[in-house]
Amino acid sequence: MKVPALPVVVASMLLMLAQNTQSVIIKYDGLQVKLESVKKLDELLEQSGDSSSENNDHLLLCSNVHLLPRELGPVCERPDAADTFKALRTIAYDDCEICVNVACTGCN
């Protein structure tokens, strides 16, 4: 019995689309930010090549707010912007914080 190719292709495309629409959300201090946005934040910092301290990263980012993902723009208006950016970056690379590792305790 031969399986028609069109339904298989359509099913595959739907599965890929479903995977792309599910994104990890990082919740921190009243913010809800997509993991992809925080990874873009890291890319921007790497591209800048700025060798200043991590505490001044927010000055670089907020002076170029048009380069930031839209959902990170409001962070620049916060008095604790440097700490918030640092926390988001830390959480983004901690598998237990974003609950992607089954072995972590306390993940819901």
Side-chain angles (χ1 to χ4, degrees):
M1 180 174 163
K2 189 173 181 179
V3 177
L6 185 59
V8 173
V9 171
V10 171
S12 297
M13 290 177 68
L14 288 174
L15 283 173
M16 287 189 300
L17 181 62
Q19 283 181 329
N20 289 338
T21 59
Q22 295 177 353
S23 38
V24 175
I25 301 294
I26 297 173
K27 294 179 182 179
Y28 175 77
D29 198 24
L31 294 170
Q32 291 189 6
V33 181
K34 292 179 187 171
L35 177 61
E36 293 84 20
S37 295
V38 178
K39 294 200 180 226
K40 176 70 175 170
L41 174 74
D42 276 346
E43 289 175 23
L44 289 171
L45 289 171
E46 287 175 13
Q47 290 173 359
S48 74
D50 187 11
S51 59
S52 65
S53 75
E54 202 171 86
N55 291 334
N56 292 326
D57 286 346
H58 77 286
L59 297 174
L60 173 70
L61 294 168
C62 293
S63 66
N64 296 299
V65 73
H66 63 281
L67 297 176
L68 282 175
R70 184 178 297 159
E71 64 186 341
L72 290 175
V75 174
C76 291
E77 299 169 11
R78 297 170 63 125
D80 62 342
D83 293 335
T84 301
F85 280 130
K86 183 177 178 182
L88 289 172
R89 292 173 69 206
T90 300
I91 292 168
Y93 291 98
D94 185 341
D95 288 345
C96 285
E97 286 288 340
I98 57 175
C99 296
V100 295
N101 186 345
V102 179
C104 299
T105 59
C107 285
N108 296 325

